[in-house]
Amino acid sequence: MDSLRFLRILLLSASILLASLLSTVTAGDIVHQDDLAPKKPGCENDFVLVKVQTWIDGTEDAEFVGVGARFGRRIVSKEKNANQTHVVFANPRDCCSPLKTKLIGDVVIVDRGNCRFTAKANNAEAAGASALLIINNQKELYKMVCEPDETDLDIQIPAVMLPQDAGATLEKMLINSSKVSVQLYSPRRPAVDVAEVFLWLMAIGTILCASYWSAWSAREAAIEHDKLLKDAIDEIPSTNDGGSGVVEINTLSAICFVFLASGFLVVLYKLMSYWFVELLVVVFCIGGVEGLQTCLVALLSRWFQRAGDSYIKVPFLGPISYLTLAVSPFCIVFAVLWAVYRERSLAWIGQDVLGIALIITVLQIVHVPNLKVGTVLLSCAFLYDIFWVFVSKKLFHESVMIVVARGDKSGEDGIPMLLKIPRMFDPWGGYSIIGFGDILLPGLLIAFALRYDWLANKTLRTGYFIWAMVAYGLGLLITYVALNLMDGHGQPALLYIVPFTLGTMLTLARKRDDLWILWTKGEPERACPHHVRLEQCSE
């Protein structure tokens, strides 16, 4: 094996592990359920995010985000129904005793601590406040709940918790300005955002392109194999040897892969920090450069065939085509620019380009040899997804997969092994995301289906690919429906995709009496030329 191919396989192996790690779809939580804070009369609101828009002397200023309390009046959802109301500090600041100043419908700002949240709300309401803003003593938000023994819960004003830095900014505003007012409202997320439609199309299109490239390569290899048979060559090279660049998964590696991914996910969860995300960005860029280069060389070689077929020997890397040398600098610069400017508003485009190129390259290089391996791989991935999204909450008190996907402990906007698109019509902004694993793992089976269809000379209707593709699209669609029904809580996409895709393949194969061939050999029987020995055909 030459050093270049060894390096490529090593880099892609690391990229595949990272790419398949995340299998979740999220859109950001707006409404939060909390089973640890049970509801009771007077204390039964959902925890909703609240926008706090400030106005200084009639001019719109900073906007903060808080979280509504379990108790009190519900906050209006439309900005036009939210009044601009004057803001004052409570006296005393903790609002744990009756206020010394009577209020006339003002919004009162109080500090957290020294008494219960409901006591603060009752004192503020008794003084004539129209709403209560409680400033947390930490940078994070905190869910305000009722104690089990509380009974005085007939609170008719809304209460909102704001983070510590928002409180500091509000205090400066009140000190330096003659009049500060706020609007409190909690806009609802639209049922469907166009970002989810584009993500769905991107996932479908990525698998479509990768499957056709994989099937075309397999058919070319089969044609070359048949030519060698017709020429009665004694030693027929295997289509899966070191020269082809194809890596086939077996049953054991499919099982081990899921355990490796689980282990690495836990490592990410435990070590999630700024420097660790930076390391992942470097690994992602290396894999993205390899993927983008492979895709561009394959595409451009149709027009620049001579440059693609001419090679130069490079120290430590071996023979490299002139076309690869020409394309590589562009790919490297593209990845470096994305890494440097990834916090910018349009950086998601570069991340998606690198991610899609990586997925397509992996699906072209890594093959599922038969339906048996595909079934084992997707079944393990199905359990993996459910466990790390749902069951991990019991062990770690939070969903490990969701925490890693969002990068909650890193101070950054998630790890890069995701396709993401900004939510264009969502008042809360943010991104809709889909993990690479939700495309890559089902894509291995779908690409296998198209390779089989082409080698078996099946039509689109009588083949397996179109039905597997439709099943994948429906499974992903159901995932987004579930996502919206669960108010943006992250969903394990493979929970819906695997039953649709794998179930469709198994059902069709059983009905068409192809199950045994698909399950064991994974490719149709090909006729053996009469002048060639039978053992040569079976190689």
Side-chain angles (χ1 to χ4, degrees):
M1 179 184 295
D2 59 69
S3 57
L4 177 60
R5 184 167 182 269
F6 175 77
L7 182 62
R8 289 184 66 198
I9 291 178
L10 185 64
L11 292 176
L12 281 171
S13 297
S15 302
I16 291 167
L17 180 61
L18 290 172
S20 304
L21 196 63
L22 295 180
S23 301
T24 186
V25 173
T26 72
D29 299 344
I30 298 301
V31 178
H32 301 263
Q33 301 294 339
D34 191 348
D35 296 333
L36 299 178
K39 297 180 180 180
K40 60 181 180 179
C43 192
E44 52 191 359
N45 296 341
D46 290 326
F47 294 111
V48 296
L49 294 181
V50 179
K51 289 195 174 189
V52 181
Q53 177 64 59
T54 61
W55 299 75
I56 299 179
D57 298 328
T59 303
E60 188 174 352
D61 203 84
E63 180 182 87
F64 308 111
V65 176
V67 61
R70 182 71 100 188
F71 53 86
R73 195 181 75 224
R74 288 184 172 87
I75 296 166
V76 298
S77 61
K78 295 182 179 179
E79 183 179 5
K80 65 180 181 180
N81 296 332
N83 297 324
Q84 291 185 33
T85 310
H86 183 241
V87 179
V88 297
F89 274 115
N91 183 17
R93 285 285 294 266
D94 60 10
C95 201
C96 288
S97 58
L99 299 188
K100 298 177 181 180
T101 307
K102 290 300 273 186
L103 306 175
I104 308 174
D106 299 315
V107 174
V108 63
I109 301 175
V110 308
D111 293 334
R112 179 184 174 185
N114 301 330
C115 62
R116 294 175 173 178
F117 295 121
T118 52
K120 298 176 187 288
N122 280 314
N123 287 330
E125 185 178 8
S130 61
L132 178 68
L133 295 179
I134 300 179
I135 307 303
N136 196 11
N137 51 18
Q138 299 176 8
K139 293 182 179 180
E140 294 78 18
L141 293 174
Y142 183 84
K143 295 177 180 178
M144 296 183 288
V145 300
C146 307
E147 299 295 335
D149 59 344
E150 291 191 77
T151 56
D152 191 9
L153 298 175
D154 187 21
I155 301 170
Q156 299 302 316
I157 63 172
V160 177
M161 171 74 75
L162 285 176
Q164 188 178 44
D165 53 352
T169 304
L170 277 171
E171 186 169 5
K172 290 179 181 178
M173 290 179 178
L174 287 168
I175 293 173
N176 299 327
S177 307
S178 59
K179 182 181 179 181
V180 178
S181 56
V182 296
Q183 280 181 299
L184 306 180
Y185 61 103
S186 180
R188 294 192 180 99
R189 166 162 281 156
V192 178
D193 191 90
V194 69
E196 293 165 357
V197 177
F198 281 120
L199 267 184
W200 186 85
L201 291 173
M202 283 168 59
I204 296 289
T206 300
I207 293 180
L208 199 66
C209 293
S211 297
Y212 272 95
W213 186 10
S214 177
W216 179 82
S217 299
R219 186 166 64 178
E220 291 294 305
I223 292 172
E224 184 66 24
H225 186 269
D226 289 342
K227 285 182 179 178
L228 293 173
L229 287 175
K230 290 178 181 178
D231 293 338
I233 296 179
D234 290 331
E235 293 185 4
I236 301 173
S238 169
T239 57
N240 293 324
D241 67 358
S244 67
V246 172
V247 178
E248 286 195 346
I249 304 174
N250 57 37
T251 304
L252 180 61
S253 61
I255 297 172
C256 292
F257 178 79
V258 174
F259 282 102
L260 282 173
S262 295
F264 198 74
L265 185 66
V266 173
V267 171
L268 276 178
Y269 174 74
K270 293 295 185 180
L271 299 182
M272 183 64 70
S273 60
Y274 174 80
W275 69 267
F276 203 74
V277 172
E278 294 296 309
L279 178 62
L280 293 179
V281 167
V282 172
V283 175
F284 173 72
C285 285
I286 293 172
V289 166
E290 174 65 24
L292 188 59
Q293 172 190 288
T294 303
C295 292
L296 288 177
V297 168
L299 184 65
L300 295 175
S301 61
R302 295 181 176 274
W303 291 278
F304 304 96
Q305 186 174 359
R306 187 171 180 180
D309 294 337
S310 302
Y311 290 82
I312 183 173
K313 193 170 184 179
V314 178
F316 305 109
L317 297 179
I320 297 179
S321 70
Y322 285 100
L323 185 57
T324 302
L325 284 177
V327 167
S328 294
F330 166 78
C331 298
I332 294 171
V333 169
F334 185 91
V336 169
L337 287 176
W338 170 80
V340 172
Y341 298 104
R342 68 182 185 279
E343 301 297 333
R344 301 292 179 88
S345 59
L346 296 177
W348 61 272
I349 299 174
Q351 180 171 326
D352 288 351
V353 169
L354 292 172
I356 289 173
L358 175 60
I359 293 172
I360 290 176
T361 300
V362 170
L363 288 177
Q364 198 273 332
I365 292 176
V366 180
H367 286 184
V368 168
N370 52 49
L371 188 55
K372 176 184 176 182
V373 174
T375 300
V376 171
L377 178 64
L378 287 186
S379 298
C380 290
F382 174 81
L383 298 175
Y384 163 89
D385 217 11
I386 294 173
F387 181 86
W388 290 112
V389 173
F390 291 140
V391 182
S392 62
K393 291 181 181 179
K394 304 294 183 182
L395 301 176
F396 299 90
H397 307 294
E398 57 187 349
S399 173
V400 173
M401 184 85 76
I402 302 299
V403 169
V404 171
R406 294 191 305 210
D408 289 354
K409 300 180 181 181
S410 66
E412 296 217 5
D413 189 20
I415 68 174
M417 286 70 185
L418 304 160
L419 298 185
K420 65 180 188 178
I421 295 181
R423 296 179 63 82
M424 303 174 190
F425 300 106
D426 192 329
W428 293 101
Y431 293 88
S432 289
I433 65 175
I434 181 171
F436 285 177
D438 299 327
I439 303 172
L440 181 57
L441 296 174
L444 289 169
L445 183 66
I446 296 171
F448 160 75
L450 186 60
R451 289 196 301 272
Y452 178 84
D453 287 352
W454 280 22
L455 293 176
N457 294 320
K458 289 183 176 290
T459 64
L460 200 62
R461 186 179 63 83
T462 60
Y464 294 93
F465 169 73
I466 187 63
W467 304 112
M469 199 77 241
V470 169
Y472 174 80
L474 286 175
L476 188 56
L477 181 63
I478 296 299
T479 303
Y480 283 113
V481 172
L483 180 70
N484 286 288
L485 290 177
M486 297 297 290
D487 296 307
H489 289 262
Q491 294 295 302
L494 295 181
L495 171 64
Y496 309 96
I497 292 172
V498 170
F500 272 86
T501 308
L502 186 58
T504 298
M505 283 286 294
L506 291 172
T507 301
L508 285 176
R510 188 178 295 110
K511 285 183 178 180
R512 296 174 178 177
D513 295 327
D514 289 338
L515 185 58
W516 176 250
I517 296 176
L518 285 167
W519 188 263
T520 55
K521 296 183 178 180
E523 63 177 36
E525 297 284 355
R526 294 207 301 270
C528 184
H530 64 85
H531 62 283
V532 179
R533 296 196 307 269
L534 182 61
E535 56 268 24
Q536 285 183 315
C537 283
S538 62
E539 290 182 10

